[in-house]
Amino acid sequence: MLTPPRTVVRRDGGLYALERALQRRGFRHVAGADEAGRGACAGPLVAAAVVLPEGRRGEIDGLADSKLLTPASRERIHDEVVARALAYAVVVIPAEEVDARGLHVCNLAAMRRALASLTTRPEYVLTDGFGVDGLDVPGLAVWKGDRVAACVAAASVLAKVTRDRIMVELDANFPGYGFAEHKGYITAEHTAALREHGPCVEHRFSYVNVAAISGREGRPPRSRRPAPDGRHEPMARSAAAGGTVGVALDEQPRPPAPVGEDVVMEGGER
């Protein structure tokens, strides 16, 4: 019995090489999934899934990892992905659900829901960084997938633009935190606002920096969140916030990747 030849994807093959290789092996509809907001301590977690068409129609000028793009480029590419994609889906997980279920559980569930919502059923799934179980099609977790596979990069742009738009809206409802600028990530300005005003209902109280500032360090009950009508009410908090900022209590801290405009947002340096 003959063994089918291996599919080799060259490192220098470009952003579309992996999808094209899979399509040559019979997987016509390749879906990519990615998320935005995992490292933020305020606002929702957003996941997206995209199936790009085969051939030239699926090639989008300037498509790249959303963190490497300017806001204007992301908006343009977002609109092109929406116009060209065979199918796309976006799932928004509010901060309250992240607190109740845990970050990693919500992350997997959001990508699973986005993939299940695609109107074109994928025949193969590519995800960024780690695999998603519970799918009825083969898949591959790709390290830095948003820089390796076009469909994953497209999903990263949809997730990032959707979340950024939400954070701008939240900035109008919760002034004083600067959500429109830092999008809920741990910047010096956000930390100062947290210490001055205390957390609002859009913060993730399962994150150690929010828990410490609100006086809930030491694994506080996830269900103990402020009522929506008390979003600006001062809350008792400890004088000094200990621990690693921007990390969910159930997760190990990971150093941020120093790339793109989100460097400062993720805690790195330009």
Side-chain angles (χ1 to χ4, degrees):
M1 182 176 178
L2 295 177
T3 302
R6 293 179 60 193
T7 299
V8 178
V9 180
R10 294 175 55 89
R11 287 181 178 271
D12 58 355
L15 194 63
Y16 297 88
L18 181 53
E19 281 166 85
R20 299 294 181 257
L22 288 167
Q23 288 163 351
R24 289 195 297 270
R25 297 302 297 270
F27 300 104
R28 292 187 57 202
H29 298 149
V30 181
D34 200 4
E35 52 73 31
R38 184 181 179 95
C41 72
L45 179 71
V46 178
V50 176
V51 178
L52 293 173
E54 298 177 82
R56 294 293 297 272
R57 178 165 173 75
E59 296 182 7
I60 298 173
D61 184 41
L63 178 62
D65 172 9
S66 63
K67 293 186 293 298
L68 301 177
L69 299 170
T70 65
S73 294
R74 279 199 299 265
E75 289 284 347
R76 176 186 63 80
I77 291 172
H78 171 279
D79 293 345
E80 285 203 45
V81 170
V82 168
R84 295 194 189 194
L86 289 179
Y88 70 91
V90 179
V91 172
V92 178
I93 305 293
E96 184 174 4
E97 188 172 344
V98 173
D99 282 342
R101 301 181 63 193
L103 176 66
H104 189 61
V105 170
C106 286
N107 201 3
L108 292 176
M111 287 200 285
R112 195 179 298 116
R113 285 162 55 184
L115 289 163
S117 299
L118 292 171
T119 55
T120 297
R121 184 177 183 274
E123 298 169 356
Y124 202 98
V125 170
L126 299 173
T127 54
D128 182 29
F130 50 86
V132 178
D133 59 4
L135 305 177
D136 59 355
V137 295
L140 177 68
V142 183
W143 176 246
K144 296 189 181 300
D146 44 12
R147 303 189 203 180
V148 175
C151 57
V152 180
S156 78
V157 170
L158 293 196
K160 172 69 173 168
V161 170
T162 299
R163 188 178 187 279
D164 283 0
R165 291 174 178 176
I166 291 172
M167 296 308 296
V168 170
E169 293 178 2
L170 290 178
D171 184 71
N173 296 328
F174 300 91
Y177 293 99
F179 288 153
E181 287 75 36
H182 55 66
K183 308 300 189 296
Y185 289 93
I186 300 300
T187 63
E189 293 78 12
H190 190 187
T191 299
L194 266 173
R195 289 173 176 160
E196 180 179 356
H197 304 296
C200 72
V201 293
E202 292 297 333
H203 281 94
R204 301 176 187 175
F205 287 80
S206 56
Y207 276 49
V208 294
N209 63 312
V210 179
I213 288 175
S214 65
R216 303 176 186 197
E217 61 269 70
R219 296 181 178 270
R222 284 175 171 162
S223 61
R224 291 180 55 200
R225 298 176 56 84
D229 58 354
R231 60 191 184 190
H232 292 303
E233 182 180 348
M235 300 169 60
R237 52 188 182 272
S238 56
T244 304
V245 299
V247 178
L249 290 171
D250 290 340
E251 292 204 337
Q252 293 298 317
R254 296 184 301 172
V259 295
E261 71 154 353
D262 286 350
V263 174
V264 175
M265 292 182 182
E266 296 285 359
E269 297 180 356
R270 291 192 186 277

